[in-house]
Amino acid sequence: MIKETLQLFNEGTPILNILQDGRRQELLVLLCKKGPLTVNQLTELVTISRPAVSHHLKLMLDAGILSVEQKGLERYYRSDLGPTLDWLKALTASLEDDLQK
């Protein structure tokens, strides 16, 4: 079981690295609460520049915790935490199994 738990930790390391940044946490929470938003809409809600918002969104998109949809000239970002939550549940279950043994 320990090998499986370590493998799960390794699989989730990129997500954990992305989410350790407070700005990305704030952007993710906003997208979870407000639904799909553009870079400009997000920039109006935070205290960082538009290029910084775009940079953080790209990192989160690459990590698989966001999705993006093109509507006309605008790109709408939304949280896409299904796979991340599935990973977190599997990690939690594996850790609980390790504790019981």
Side-chain angles (χ1 to χ4, degrees), residues 27 31 34-42 50 53 57-58 61 65-80:
L27 292 169
L31 290 169
K34 297 190 177 282
L37 296 170
T38 65
V39 172
N40 288 334
Q41 290 169 325
L42 282 164
R50 186 183 190 288
V53 169
L57 291 174
K58 181 184 181 332
L61 190 62
I65 59 175
L66 297 183
S67 61
V68 65
E69 181 181 354
Q70 185 84 30
K71 290 184 182 178
L73 298 176
E74 296 288 345
R75 292 170 52 101
Y76 286 84
Y77 293 85
R78 75 173 63 236
S79 62
D80 187 11

Side-chain angles (χ1 to χ4, degrees), residues 4-5 21 25 97:
E4 292 173 22
T5 302
D21 183 276
Q25 293 168 10
D97 286 347

Side-chain angles (χ1 to χ4, degrees), residues 23 26-27 30 39 41-50 53:
R23 291 175 194 94
E26 182 181 12
L27 292 169
L30 284 168
V39 172
Q41 290 169 325
L42 282 164
T43 301
E44 291 174 7
L45 299 171
V46 296
T47 59
I48 57 176
S49 68
R50 186 183 190 288
V53 169

